[in-house]
Amino acid sequence: MQGNQAIGDNSGSTTAGRSAGSRSARRRAVRRAAAPVAVTVAAAMMLAACGGAKKNTDDKGGGGGGTLVVDTSFSLKTADPGRTFEPTGIMVTRPVYDTLLTFANGDVTKPVPLLASSYEASPDAKTFTFPLRSEAKFSDGTPVTAKDVVFSFNRVKNLKGNPAFLLDGVTATAKDEHTVVLTTAAADPALPFRIATPALGVVNSKTVAAHGGSDAAGADQGDKAEQFLNGDSQGSGPYKITKYDVSTEVILTRNENYWGAKPKYAKVVVRNVPANTQQLNVLSGESQISLDMSPDQAVKVKGQAQVLQQPTPTTAFLFTNDNPAISPTTSNKDFQEAVRYGLDYKSLLDVAGAGSAQAAGIVPSFFTGALDPGKAIQRDVPRAKAALAKAGLNNPSVDLYYASDVTINGINFGDLAARVQANLKEVGINVNLKPAPTQTALDSYRNGSEAMGLWWWQADYPDASDYLAFTPGELVSLRAGWKAEANPEVSGLAQKAKTATSDAERVTAYKQLQESMNKTGPFMPLLQPAQVIAANNSVKNLRYNPIWYIDVDKLG
């Protein structure tokens, strides 16, 4: 997804993020930037076009320790890991700044050690201990210590930037030179998943501090290290940043002091290129990898290039406002039942293209706690018509709001809204389409005034707890008029899921929660769009990571 462009927010930012929402003023910016979603607005495409492809004369084959060229549409603001949460930024900082934990081989169900040699969680999930690898070094050869981790985490918190929420309620201390302890006031079983986020990469504290960096309270005003980090990375990962231009390209070069296995490619060039041009570049050998093709474009390159095409951690969803003051029609529980079973989910997948998947629940399919595909709602027209009759509504008309200038992984939301309209017409519901520019649509969505809305949610981190925002009284639910007291059963299951500490308990709790939401909630999870990654056949070990797209250091 990374070739995405973030969507604006109430803050007026022009960058968007992964989802169309945020938990707080601070997180507003976060969400837009966080994920691997191919979100593109027209203006962004124009910008990308200006930075279009240029001939790659450095390496044609993309192997043998030469140069790897990756084309994507930039969503990029800074190389400072303490401030980075944009999709492209996450991708390029991950191989530069090692994190305590990571996700290997695209599997986001289990964090595994990286800078930490292992980790241990207390039974109450309030204390997490991370012994560091003694061999880990920064790119200048300086050993990585617990002091560097504590400085990096405190700096992220006190910068109060987009990634700061990842450490809400977390206290980092250095038990000794090579042991870090994280403590939380409340049980936080999702912390290991957040710790693997590239924004929590560890910096060389001595060097960053010498160039104006600060981890103290007030760092949001006093830290002056961003410009330095944009030109001179200070991580312990397999690459260093040697060029950073938010409009054209980022160049990574191999870190010869890397403590782990050396990456094959000596240089990685990540270029800002429009999706249509990316297709041509991969086929001609101008680049080795494209991250932003649509499913239709993928069809054209299959057989000539290798193509990965699989669901993203983005959930497109429909909601019917549960607040009678907003709409007596959409808040009617029988009307909600009619919509739920009147939708033709398979036909919606036709709009999304190959590689997309029906969302069985609000949690994406490859996260721990996701519902089994067999639990997904299936269309049942007689049941939908019966529910509508029970609601006492005769050919009701409702307004459906959506952002009309957004494309997510090749899905035009106008096309998706039109398909929803056609589906519901067949069961006797008249849908009036209400397209609007993104900023306008976000305003009505966020103030909870939409009778029916078509939106999407991209995970901030790969854990089901990120989706508690859809439970009664939480951020997204309030936008759908689903108040805290609306459904005690669902609220109770949400609390149970939030406080469960063992993996087995969490899986069971989140599945029960989603099954209950699918029966009685105002949300109708629709689909997970497909991420398309196309690569020249010279590239080996290509795998998709739902958070940062690809591991450039693992490619052969």
Side-chain angles (χ1 to χ4, degrees), residues 215-274:
D215 68 339
D220 56 323
Q221 299 297 320
D223 185 281
K224 305 298 181 185
E226 180 178 9
Q227 184 174 356
F228 167 68
L229 290 169
N230 281 341
D232 191 348
S233 57
Q234 293 296 316
S236 59
Y239 285 102
K240 302 185 295 182
I241 294 175
T242 51
K243 180 181 180 182
Y244 190 85
D245 187 314
V246 297
S247 298
T248 59
E249 66 181 13
V250 174
I251 297 179
L252 309 178
T253 55
R254 194 160 51 199
N255 171 16
E256 299 301 336
N257 285 321
Y258 186 52
W259 56 273
K262 299 292 189 298
K264 176 178 179 178
Y265 290 99
K267 183 164 74 172
V268 178
V269 180
V270 182
R271 308 188 305 185
N272 187 13
V273 178

Side-chain angles (χ1 to χ4, degrees), residues 19 21-24 27 31 317 362-363 445 457-461 463-483 490 494 498 510 513 517 522-523:
S19 68
S22 57
R23 300 176 189 284
S24 65
R27 290 197 63 184
R31 284 207 168 277
F317 63 92
I362 201 66
V363 177
Y445 168 54
W457 181 270
Q458 169 71 32
D460 293 312
Y461 53 91
D463 186 75
S465 60
D466 199 39
Y467 294 81
L468 293 173
F470 286 79
T471 58
E474 299 298 332
L475 176 73
V476 183
S477 286
L478 290 176
R479 292 168 177 171
W482 209 21
K483 300 178 182 177
V490 171
K498 185 177 181 179
Y510 277 106
L513 171 63
M517 291 176 66
F523 296 102

Side-chain angles (χ1 to χ4, degrees), residues 18 23 27 31 34 85 103 165-166 188 190-191 193-195 197 367 458-468 506 547:
R18 319 179 142 198
R23 300 176 189 284
R27 290 197 63 184
R31 284 207 168 277
F85 219 45
F103 297 109
F165 80 96
L166 296 167
D188 193 355
L191 183 59
F193 292 84
R194 302 203 304 277
I195 291 302
T197 303
F367 286 6
Q458 169 71 32
D460 293 312
Y461 53 91
D463 186 75
S465 60
D466 199 39
Y467 294 81
L468 293 173
R506 299 188 78 224
I547 305 303

Side-chain angles (χ1 to χ4, degrees), residues 2 70 72 74-81 84 86-98 198-199 230 233 237-246 249-253 268-271 291 547-553:
Q2 281 345 286
V70 180
T72 186
F74 274 14
S75 178
L76 187 64
K77 293 171 62 179
T78 176
D80 184 343
T84 299
E86 291 72 34
T88 311
I90 289 173
M91 181 179 67
V92 299
T93 57
R94 194 214 61 79
V96 174
Y97 292 94
D98 281 341
N230 281 341
S233 57
Y239 285 102
K240 302 185 295 182
I241 294 175
T242 51
K243 180 181 180 182
Y244 190 85
D245 187 314
V246 297
E249 66 181 13
V250 174
I251 297 179
L252 309 178
T253 55
V268 178
V269 180
V270 182
R271 308 188 305 185
L291 298 180
I547 305 303
W548 51 77
Y549 304 114
I550 53 174
D551 288 290
V552 294
D553 55 307

Side-chain angles (χ1 to χ4, degrees), residues 118-442:
S118 64
Y119 77 97
E120 179 178 348
S122 62
D124 61 2
K126 295 181 179 178
T127 303
F128 301 81
T129 303
F130 302 85
L132 303 182
R133 295 183 189 276
S134 59
E135 70 272 28
K137 297 179 180 178
F138 290 109
S139 56
D140 66 356
T142 304
V144 177
T145 68
K147 178 181 177 182
D148 295 305
V149 179
V150 173
F151 175 89
S152 300
F153 284 13
N154 286 339
R155 180 169 180 265
V156 168
K157 291 170 63 176
N158 290 317
L159 284 176
K160 301 179 180 178
N162 289 342
F165 80 96
L166 296 167
L167 294 171
D168 280 349
V170 178
T171 299
T173 56
K175 181 178 179 180
D176 56 42
E177 187 176 2
H178 291 290
T179 306
V180 176
V181 178
L182 304 181
T183 56
T184 60
D188 193 355
L191 183 59
F193 292 84
R194 302 203 304 277
I195 291 302
T197 303
L200 299 185
V202 176
V203 303
N204 185 326
S205 61
K206 183 177 181 180
T207 303
V208 172
H211 288 83
S214 172
D215 68 339
D220 56 323
Q221 299 297 320
D223 185 281
K224 305 298 181 185
E226 180 178 9
Q227 184 174 356
F228 167 68
L229 290 169
N230 281 341
D232 191 348
S233 57
Q234 293 296 316
S236 59
Y239 285 102
K240 302 185 295 182
I241 294 175
T242 51
K243 180 181 180 182
Y244 190 85
D245 187 314
V246 297
S247 298
T248 59
E249 66 181 13
V250 174
I251 297 179
L252 309 178
T253 55
R254 194 160 51 199
N255 171 16
E256 299 301 336
N257 285 321
Y258 186 52
W259 56 273
K262 299 292 189 298
K264 176 178 179 178
Y265 290 99
K267 183 164 74 172
V268 178
V269 180
V270 182
R271 308 188 305 185
N272 187 13
V273 178
N276 287 340
T277 306
Q278 292 176 32
Q279 176 187 341
L280 299 174
N281 286 349
V282 167
L283 292 178
S284 68
E286 286 275 357
S287 66
Q288 282 73 57
I289 297 178
S290 158
L291 298 180
D292 300 314
M293 288 187 198
S294 68
D296 289 342
Q297 290 173 317
V299 172
K300 299 176 182 177
V301 304
K302 283 183 178 177
Q304 304 174 73
Q306 52 183 320
V307 177
L308 299 182
Q309 201 164 355
Q310 54 197 92
T312 65
T314 299
T315 304
F317 63 92
L318 183 75
F319 73 80
T320 54
N321 202 304
D322 207 57
N323 184 352
I326 298 299
S327 172
T329 298
T330 63
S331 60
N332 185 305
K333 291 299 180 185
D334 291 313
F335 175 84
Q336 293 176 0
E337 173 96 348
V339 172
R340 181 173 294 110
Y341 286 95
L343 292 169
D344 184 349
Y345 298 92
K346 291 181 180 178
S347 78
L348 298 178
L349 292 181
D350 291 338
V351 177
S356 60
Q358 181 179 350
I362 201 66
V363 177
S365 56
F366 37 75
F367 286 6
T368 297
L371 278 180
D372 298 332
K375 296 288 186 180
I377 300 294
Q378 301 300 319
R379 192 182 205 200
D380 187 336
V381 172
R383 181 171 178 171
K385 288 184 175 179
L388 194 60
K390 186 178 178 182
L393 300 170
N394 183 26
N395 292 319
S397 294
V398 295
D399 295 337
L400 172 60
Y401 296 83
Y402 59 95
S404 58
D405 55 356
V406 171
T407 298
I408 297 180
N409 293 88
I411 303 175
N412 180 293
F413 263 48
D415 295 340
L416 195 62
R419 188 62 62 92
V420 168
Q421 180 189 46
N423 287 174
L424 297 183
K425 180 71 174 177
E426 294 173 3
V427 298
I429 299 173
N430 299 307
V431 174
N432 307 312
L433 300 184
K434 297 291 184 180
T438 298
Q439 288 295 345
T440 302
L442 281 170

Side-chain angles (χ1 to χ4, degrees), residues 94 99 101-112 192-194 196-197 462 545 547-548 551:
R94 194 214 61 79
T99 46
L101 305 178
T102 190
F103 297 109
N105 302 321
D107 180 3
V108 295
T109 64
K110 184 180 180 181
V112 297
F193 292 84
R194 302 203 304 277
T197 303
N545 183 292
I547 305 303
W548 51 77
D551 288 290

